[in-house]
Amino acid sequence: MSCPNIKGKRQLAYDFERLDEKLRYITENYDYKFGIKLPPYFDPQDVSLAHDVISNYPTIDYIT
């Protein structure tokens, strides 16, 4: 979620709506626990927004 692999696109983890969409897609199509890699969040509001999204997906087992 944190590597900018597409030139001209933001890192997915900084776009909380897209992050939620991607995590929803993964959990609907993958039946196992998984981990995600996040970039650093420098704004406390971003930490809170990321938490609000990620906490909806109990199959996320770890975050790096």
Side-chain angles (χ1 to χ4, degrees):
M1 306 295 165
S2 70
C3 295
N5 294 321
I6 301 173
K7 188 175 183 175
K9 297 282 186 175
R10 291 183 71 192
Q11 292 182 36
L12 181 66
Y14 289 125
D15 182 337
F16 300 103
E17 186 175 321
R18 285 187 56 228
L19 176 63
D20 187 46
E21 291 170 3
K22 184 61 73 174
L23 290 173
R24 186 176 324 110
Y25 176 82
I26 292 169
T27 57
E28 288 174 353
N29 293 285
Y30 188 72
D31 295 328
Y32 304 97
K33 290 185 176 191
F34 62 97
I36 59 175
K37 178 184 175 203
L38 297 177
Y41 292 112
F42 299 104
D43 186 329
Q45 182 179 356
D46 288 343
V47 174
S48 179
L49 290 169
H51 171 268
D52 292 345
V53 170
I54 294 166
S55 65
N56 291 319
Y57 300 97
T59 53
I60 295 176
D61 193 40
Y62 62 90
I63 299 169
T64 61

